[in-house]
Amino acid sequence: MKPLNTYQNFYFIGIGGIGMSAIARYFKSIGGNVLGYDKTETKLTSALISEGIDIVFKDEITPKIKSLDPENTLVIYTPAIKKLDILNYFDENGFMVLKRAKVLGMITENTNCIAVAGTHGKTTTSSLVAHLCKEANLPFSCFLGGIAENFKSNFHFNGSEISVVEADEYDRSFLNLSPDWAIVTSIDADHLDIYGDKATIEKGFRDFANLVPENNHLFIRKGIEIGRNAKTYAVNEEADFYSNNIREMGDKIYFDFHSANAVALDFVWEIPGIHNVENATAAIALLNSMGVGFETLKRGIADFKGIKRRYTKHHFENGKIYIDDYAHHPTELNAVIGSIKHFYPEKKLLVAFQPHLFSRTRDFAEGFAESLEQADELILLDIYPARELQENFEGITSKWLLDQVKSAKKEVSTLEDAFDKIQEKDFDVLLTVGAGNIDTLYDGIVKWLSSSMIKK
């Protein structure tokens, strides 16, 4: 296989995906000619076009595609795309066609790679690691699974000696990486359409952890059995690295960090949630182990703005609180709702949740029901299908899931009706949550709750 630097053109099939777009931005930043296809126009594809990347939205063989030379063109695709005339064209005409994960792995081969894996928490943790690298002015590039508020992007280039990578377990993608350092935040069952069962996904994470050459370079949340020696981290309990004394003062969260050799008091940041302090603990532990001092890390933590749709919180003059989050697994829902209940125990919570994938809804229905029962009132949106078809999952609907939720105040809604239903409810805290297109409600809700017409 030819080295990446021998290609001048990079064609991305599914360029609007969060992981694909980060790699597209990388090749653009180093002078490559980047172009691609996606099925749908989004804010992200519009941003890529404004950055000089040529994108089409029709599955047709254009003159521009026909002009590409197989000798100097690399085609990158996402496994979410199964059938496409453009993909067939490249396959049939001698182009090098590689999965996104393979290409990302090739990029990391010649770097000091920091990889963050986990079924939950990896986007926030990898974005924080990248932000702390920037604060320390390290020569890094990052490839993230969300839009980091500090970078306003899922990619940032500050050099190529270090790569910071969100290590995606879907389709076993993370096994293509070459991590020198790694964090594993969680290994809960997910993506059972790929792995089949909990034991197999746990083996996948153990295989990933075994890619890290040094025990002291592997950081595992305490309680995870990873099958080899590693450093542990935790919150509110002792580990190799841990944080405690967590308190909220105004809109700030304070915590103390402990390692075997040092204690650093009063880290402060704006990111709510005990689970996010856990993510910060892992990032601080790794960067400090790489030699970054606590004063630099404290500045970076204080300046971190988080990730779009990861516990995005608004307080309004009318006293109401609105939180928007990407959680789409029972463990993630428990973390978000648990944090709300911890910091606002007396407030009435309304949850609007959009399940993501029929298969995930089916596989974790009991866990979803138990998570959602914590809400004082629930609006359950129709399932967002993503790559799946309802016809392949007969009987798996939001009504089916709602019947398993043991709550008095609950109802199913379409996305189109959800905003009207929310406006009719009595609540102190509103949580909109899910990984589909529920985020389209966000702007309208913020505008509505900002209105002086809303009762306290």
Side-chain angles (χ1 to χ4, degrees):
M1 188 179 301
K2 295 195 298 185
L4 291 176
N5 61 12
T6 61
Y7 296 100
Q8 287 81 51
N9 304 307
F10 301 88
Y11 196 100
F12 286 79
I13 297 175
I15 195 169
I18 195 72
M20 291 281 279
S21 58
I23 303 175
R25 283 168 158 157
Y26 168 77
F27 284 121
K28 182 69 175 176
S29 73
I30 61 173
N33 176 41
V34 179
L35 58 167
Y37 159 86
D38 207 279
K39 181 180 180 180
T40 307
E41 295 184 52
T42 64
K43 288 182 179 180
L44 185 48
T45 58
S46 296
L48 295 174
I49 291 169
S50 72
E51 294 165 21
I53 295 175
D54 189 350
I55 301 176
V56 299
F57 299 95
K58 291 184 178 180
D59 181 19
E60 57 187 21
I61 312 306
T62 63
K64 190 164 289 187
I65 288 176
K66 289 182 178 179
S67 71
L68 295 172
D69 183 351
E71 287 300 311
N72 61 15
T73 302
L74 177 63
V75 179
I76 302 106
Y77 75 101
T78 169
I81 292 179
K82 309 297 183 185
K83 296 180 181 179
L84 202 71
D85 289 342
I86 293 174
L87 184 58
N88 292 340
Y89 172 85
F90 287 124
D91 280 332
E92 293 166 1
N93 286 276
F95 287 81
M96 177 60 70
V97 180
L98 298 176
K99 285 185 179 181
R100 177 193 69 86
K102 178 64 176 177
V103 175
L104 184 57
M106 293 170 70
I107 292 171
T108 67
E109 282 178 358
N110 298 313
T111 68
N112 191 15
C113 176
I114 304 170
V116 181
T119 44
H120 329 293
K122 60 180 174 289
T123 301
T124 297
T125 307
S126 57
S127 299
L128 179 56
V129 168
H131 174 68
L132 295 176
C133 285
K134 186 175 186 295
E135 185 68 34
N137 198 28
L138 299 178
F140 79 100
S141 300
C142 64
F143 304 83
L144 309 174
I147 303 300
E149 294 283 10
N150 292 86
F151 301 144
K152 303 300 180 187
S153 178
N154 55 349
F155 172 76
H156 187 78
F157 185 84
N158 197 52
S160 55
E161 292 181 27
I162 298 170
S163 60
V164 178
V165 179
E166 179 170 331
D168 186 6
E169 73 276 6
Y170 178 72
D171 201 34
R172 296 179 173 83
S173 295
F174 56 2
L175 300 183
N176 290 278
L177 300 174
S178 299
D180 300 283
W181 301 76
I183 294 169
V184 177
T185 64
S186 51
I187 59 171
D188 292 333
D190 199 2
H191 302 300
L192 297 185
D193 54 328
I194 299 293
Y195 290 94
D197 55 36
K198 187 174 187 289
T200 304
I201 193 170
E202 289 177 351
K203 181 182 183 303
F205 277 99
R206 288 196 295 273
D207 291 343
F208 167 77
N210 283 332
L211 297 175
V212 181
E214 300 288 339
N215 292 338
N216 290 343
H217 290 188
L218 178 60
F219 300 80
I220 307 296
R221 184 176 58 80
K222 187 175 181 179
I224 293 176
E225 296 296 331
I226 207 64
R228 61 169 288 186
N229 290 329
K231 294 296 184 180
T232 60
Y233 68 91
V235 165
N236 290 333
E237 62 174 314
E238 290 190 8
D240 294 319
F241 303 91
Y242 67 97
S243 295
N244 63 5
N245 193 23
I246 303 167
R247 62 265 189 212
E248 184 177 81
M249 299 173 64
D251 284 337
K252 306 287 188 182
I253 301 292
Y254 290 76
F255 61 93
D256 301 336
F257 176 85
H258 303 256
S259 70
N261 303 315
V263 177
L265 303 178
D266 293 334
F267 275 87
V268 56
W269 70 345
E270 301 175 358
I271 312 302
I274 294 171
H275 60 292
N276 280 321
V277 176
E278 188 172 77
N279 296 333
T281 302
I284 294 166
L286 189 147
L287 268 296
N288 187 243
S289 298
M290 290 182 70
V292 179
F294 285 124
E295 290 307 311
T296 299
L297 294 172
K298 281 189 175 182
R299 286 197 309 271
I301 290 290
D303 190 46
F304 184 60
K305 303 302 181 186
I307 316 299
K308 285 186 183 297
R309 302 213 63 232
R310 266 55 170 198
Y311 211 99
T312 301
K313 183 172 70 171
H314 297 271
H315 287 271
F316 298 93
E317 290 185 5
N318 52 45
K320 294 188 184 296
I321 298 168
Y322 173 39
I323 296 167
D324 182 50
D325 196 89
Y326 189 75
H328 53 283
H329 183 282
T331 301
E332 297 167 347
L333 278 175
N334 285 333
V336 174
I337 297 174
S339 288
I340 294 171
K341 291 291 188 179
H342 175 81
F343 290 114
Y344 310 109
E346 304 301 322
K347 294 187 179 293
K348 188 182 297 183
L349 172 63
L350 170 64
V351 173
F353 173 58
Q354 183 186 49
H356 185 266
L357 295 175
F358 299 110
S359 59
R360 183 181 284 121
T361 304
R362 176 198 63 199
D363 294 339
F364 302 106
E366 183 178 349
F368 279 125
E370 291 176 357
S371 300
L372 296 170
E373 285 164 11
Q374 300 174 75
D376 296 294
E377 190 162 2
L378 171 66
I379 300 174
L380 187 62
L381 275 63
D382 292 336
I383 297 170
Y384 185 80
R387 58 186 176 269
E388 296 179 341
L389 298 174
Q390 174 74 80
E391 62 196 54
N392 296 327
F393 298 90
E394 186 177 350
I396 306 301
T397 65
S398 286
K399 175 63 168 63
W400 171 80
L401 177 59
L402 190 77
D403 288 342
Q404 301 178 59
V405 179
K406 299 173 183 176
S407 300
K409 294 185 175 181
K410 60 181 182 178
E411 62 183 297
V412 167
S413 174
T414 64
L415 177 66
E416 290 73 23
D417 293 339
F419 183 46
D420 289 339
K421 290 181 181 294
I422 288 169
Q423 293 179 84
E424 297 170 357
K425 303 300 182 183
D426 177 28
F427 63 87
D428 301 309
V429 181
L430 169 63
L431 170 65
T432 54
V433 61
N437 57 353
I438 191 173
D439 63 316
T440 57
L441 299 176
Y442 177 85
D443 290 340
I445 289 173
V446 171
K447 183 178 180 180
W448 169 64
L449 288 174
S450 299
S451 169
S452 59
M453 301 297 291
I454 306 303
K455 66 180 181 180
K456 293 189 178 181

